[in-house]
Amino acid sequence: MLINISDVWASARASHNLYLEGLIDDGLASLGPSALDQRIKLFLEFLKIHLTAKNIYGLNSAISYHQKLQRKISRHERIKVNDFLVELFDYKAFSRRKLRDWSAYKLCRSSNYRVCPYCHYSLMLVTEEKKGGIRPDLDHWYPQHLYPYLALALNNLVPSCLICNSRLKGSADMHINPHLHPFLDSESLHFRCEKPGSSIVDIITNFENVKDQLSVRIDFNGACQKSTNTLTLFQLRERYALLSPDGAKFVGRKTYSDGLEDWFQAHLMGPLHQTPPVPQLKDRAKEIRQLGFDRQDYKNEVFGKMYADLYDQYDRTSLLNNPYP
């Protein structure tokens, strides 16, 4: 995960919870008086509260409850319970391309974001459903084959691209192996564009000669297992290493837009911090035209997290008022 999208389903929560509550009510109505059915009933009532809560930690509570239930019943009963849950929380029915009151397609149309949060590499487009539309994948953070009762939980559905969801993440169990969560964790993976042995001032003042030697890398806390797992699973280092030329071009546009090369060249003969300038207020609309990038809306720009971090690394205000790296 590169970006946090905790508010991705803000406008969809009421509609989705109404849909989910209706399914659970149907399940409750189908249960009989047997001891096993009464156990299932208690579990469904628990799910109705925790799966529709805004707090994502309700998913872990549901997993814990289900694990306790499994230990209290026989193998035959476990199979029966699992079959019941798979049929009740039918994701295939929810995801079929068919017009109805609420569906996976309508959920995706309500998303606040259009770029995959795992890689920030791919657009997640939604087109008109009645014309055979397309929508992004909905990744089950906790795999539905292991946790069928979470198959339709809104907090378990992460909009994502096909590569991240199907080819890279697949059926990885995030309950067992923790990764950075797009709804929960802060953005702790940060991009840098550098040339080994060169300072930022060296890069700016000699940009045309070093631009082909610049490389993009990802900074992270090596002691954070979530970060390490995320980088490995989604192949983020390898994928973004291929974008080093794009990162270098952005750095060139950013430093030119800020007029840094001319300013540094004019002060190479004296101490850079002797009389630091007062940066002029930026014209945001003009900067967006020059960069082809809006720093304030980076989450909805392809490669936006990389560009946002490089923007901050080479920002005029920061560089002219702080010791140079």
Side-chain angles (χ1 to χ4, degrees):
M1 155 265 185
L2 283 173
I3 62 167
N4 179 285
I5 57 167
S6 58
D7 60 340
V8 63
W9 302 132
S11 64
R13 190 167 295 278
S15 296
H16 191 82
N17 283 350
L18 187 64
Y19 170 78
L20 190 54
E21 288 169 352
L23 289 181
I24 294 175
D25 286 341
D26 290 343
L28 289 168
S30 71
L31 294 170
S34 70
L36 181 60
D37 278 11
Q38 291 307 300
R39 288 184 184 275
I40 298 174
K41 179 180 179 181
L42 291 175
F43 182 47
L44 290 183
E45 290 172 343
F46 181 89
L47 290 178
K48 189 173 182 179
I49 296 172
H50 288 79
L51 298 193
T52 58
K54 188 175 181 179
N55 190 333
I56 192 172
Y57 293 106
L59 301 185
N60 291 326
S61 298
I63 292 173
S64 296
Y65 190 117
H66 184 259
Q67 289 174 339
K68 291 177 182 177
L69 173 61
Q70 295 282 81
R71 291 194 291 268
K72 293 178 179 179
I73 58 180
S74 67
R75 180 178 178 277
H76 174 73
E77 289 174 324
R78 287 197 292 271
I79 294 173
K80 186 175 180 179
V81 170
N82 186 75
D83 290 344
F84 175 85
L85 295 172
V86 168
E87 182 177 355
L88 180 61
F89 298 104
D90 186 355
Y91 179 75
K92 287 185 178 179
F94 177 67
S95 63
R96 288 192 192 107
R97 186 179 293 148
K98 179 181 177 183
L99 294 175
R100 54 170 164 265
D101 291 341
W102 192 246
S103 66
Y105 181 89
K106 290 180 172 61
L107 175 62
C108 289
R109 284 191 69 85
S110 73
S111 171
N112 288 329
Y113 299 96
R114 64 173 194 157
V115 187
C116 177
Y118 292 136
C119 64
H120 226 220
Y121 220 92
S122 304
L123 282 170
M124 304 184 300
L125 300 176
V126 182
T127 60
E128 190 62 40
E129 182 181 19
K130 64 178 66 175
K131 297 179 181 179
I134 60 172
R135 64 169 178 82
D137 281 9
L138 288 173
D139 171 48
H140 290 80
W141 182 258
Y142 298 127
Q144 55 180 319
H145 74 283
L146 295 176
Y147 309 96
Y149 47 93
L150 301 181
L152 296 175
L154 190 59
N155 290 331
N156 195 40
L157 300 176
V158 181
S160 59
C161 69
L162 177 65
I163 290 176
C164 285
N165 180 34
S166 300
R167 298 191 61 181
L168 296 178
K169 180 176 177 290
S171 59
D173 188 351
M174 302 306 207
H175 187 63
I176 303 299
N177 299 304
H179 291 67
L180 294 173
H181 197 301
F183 297 168
L184 284 175
D185 293 304
S186 60
E187 296 174 6
S188 57
L189 305 177
H190 301 289
F191 293 90
R192 305 277 292 178
C193 186
E194 300 171 333
K195 175 181 179 293
S198 296
S199 69
I200 284 182
V201 175
D202 294 333
I203 291 171
I204 293 172
T205 55
N206 197 32
F207 182 77
E208 288 302 320
N209 293 323
V210 303
K211 62 183 180 182
D212 293 335
Q213 302 169 50
L214 296 177
S215 61
V216 170
R217 66 177 179 84
I218 302 178
D219 266 348
F220 68 103
N221 179 0
C224 175
Q225 192 61 49
K226 283 185 176 183
S227 296
T228 301
N229 289 346
T230 298
L231 284 167
T232 301
L233 180 64
F234 295 108
Q235 299 183 18
L236 294 176
R237 281 171 289 206
E238 296 84 351
R239 294 164 81 178
Y240 274 91
L242 300 175
L243 294 178
S244 289
D246 300 87
K249 289 177 184 177
F250 180 81
V251 168
R253 293 196 300 271
K254 175 71 171 107
T255 54
Y256 178 80
S257 174
D258 283 358
L260 286 174
E261 181 176 1
D262 292 340
W263 192 88
F264 282 136
Q265 290 287 4
H267 291 76
L268 282 177
M269 302 305 294
L272 291 174
H273 291 288
Q274 202 168 52
T275 55
V278 178
Q280 299 295 314
L281 291 176
K282 296 178 182 178
D283 183 329
R284 179 167 173 256
K286 181 179 179 181
E287 181 184 66
I288 292 172
R289 291 199 305 271
Q290 291 175 331
L291 299 181
F293 173 71
D294 184 355
R295 175 66 178 83
Q296 294 184 21
D297 193 35
Y298 75 95
K299 290 186 179 183
N300 273 317
E301 302 266 4
V302 175
F303 314 139
K305 180 64 169 71
M306 177 181 75
Y307 291 146
D309 287 344
L310 301 189
Y311 180 105
D312 295 342
Q313 182 187 6
Y314 286 87
D315 187 55
R316 175 183 65 193
T317 303
S318 175
L319 289 175
L320 297 185
N321 287 285
N322 294 288
Y324 301 119

